[in-house]
Amino acid sequence: NDSIFHKFKLERMHAFISVSIFLISVVISIRFVDSIAVSGKHSNSYDVIVVGSGIGGLSAAAMLGKYGYKVCVLESHYLAGGAAHGFEIRDKDIGLFRFDTGPSFFSGLNPDLPAKSSNPMRTVLDAIDEKVDCVQYDSFGLHFPEGNFVHTTDFAKNVINEVSGSSATKEWVRLMKDMEPLADAVAAMPTAALRFDVGAALSAGQFFPNFA
């Protein structure tokens, strides 16, 4: 059962989005950012220089640009996105294989569904008024050494119980129950309110009553 827990982390998901679509949207969203790499134009000065165009760097640059800062994003790779890339390898006998170098999907980004304040990526996209095309999944495949399975919302019954038995299913249910207070705590403090300066008293302080 430990192998199952390490191979898959259950999350209540409304929608998933492919990494490539998300990155294209985020890069487009840097319309606020005067980026050397994109525009080819050099400026004498910038308010902020972001080194690295991973999702964190792009999100920070987009938010800074939204609030009027002149931002330069520097990237040594030929594509923006950091680890959230994909690549293809073609085998002459078998065909084309596609690989993700980072996460295969993101959850909670569907603009047609209510946002969760605990989802930092959705918070950024909403703040810069960017909507992304999402593909909604009801299930997806899981390939384990123990066999191939189809994931649904009833993960414990359909997968864990079949692989590791009823005792593992009970452990999973207990784990989900133990995590509920953590989920409530995360929901009580929006990620956008977190900061590391005195301004946290204003941005985060208003949510402290949620922990009472």
Side-chain angles (χ1 to χ4, degrees):
N1 34 349
D2 280 345
S3 63
I4 294 295
F5 294 157
H6 283 94
K7 290 170 187 171
F8 187 81
K9 222 169 27 172
L10 180 65
E11 180 183 352
R12 295 183 180 91
M13 292 176 283
H14 296 296
F16 302 94
I17 179 175
S18 69
V19 173
S20 58
I21 295 176
F22 170 72
L23 288 175
I24 291 171
S25 299
V26 172
V27 173
I28 292 174
S29 76
I30 311 299
R31 60 184 184 277
F32 306 106
V33 179
D34 182 9
S35 173
I36 294 177
V38 174
S39 67
K41 297 178 181 179
H42 296 264
S43 176
N44 292 329
S45 64
Y46 293 93
D47 299 314
V48 179
I49 294 177
V50 177
V51 180
S53 66
I55 290 178
L58 291 176
S59 297
M63 293 299 293
L64 288 164
K66 173 181 173 62
Y67 288 107
Y69 291 93
K70 192 173 184 180
V71 184
C72 172
V73 180
L74 302 179
E75 174 58 56
S76 62
H77 195 42
Y78 59 85
L79 288 176
H85 278 237
F87 63 94
E88 298 178 349
I89 294 179
R90 182 177 295 277
D91 183 276
K92 64 179 181 179
D93 298 321
I94 301 176
L96 185 68
F97 293 86
R98 293 184 175 88
F99 298 90
D100 297 312
T101 58
S104 297
F105 51 75
F106 294 96
S107 64
L109 303 185
N110 191 335
D112 297 327
L113 296 173
K116 290 185 177 180
S117 62
S118 57
N119 188 321
M121 208 172 298
R122 174 67 180 273
T123 300
V124 171
L125 289 172
D126 287 349
I128 62 176
D129 195 27
E130 283 291 338
K131 294 179 173 58
V132 293
D133 296 327
C134 295
V135 178
Q136 188 165 340
Y137 286 81
D138 296 318
S139 63
F140 52 87
L142 302 172
H143 297 276
F144 294 152
E146 295 84 354
N148 299 331
F149 304 90
V150 176
H151 175 272
T152 65
T153 53
D154 202 355
F155 177 71
K157 178 181 178 181
N158 294 339
V159 178
I160 294 182
N161 188 65
E162 186 174 345
V163 172
S164 301
S166 59
S167 61
T169 302
K170 292 178 181 178
E171 289 182 27
W172 179 263
V173 172
R174 188 166 59 250
L175 173 63
M176 293 295 100
K177 187 68 177 177
D178 291 342
M179 290 179 65
E180 287 180 2
L182 298 177
D184 292 339
V186 170
M189 177 65 70
T191 52
L194 300 175
R195 52 192 297 174
F196 299 96
D197 58 15
V198 294
L202 294 175
S203 64
Q206 59 186 308
F207 298 102
F208 287 164
N210 294 339
F211 294 92

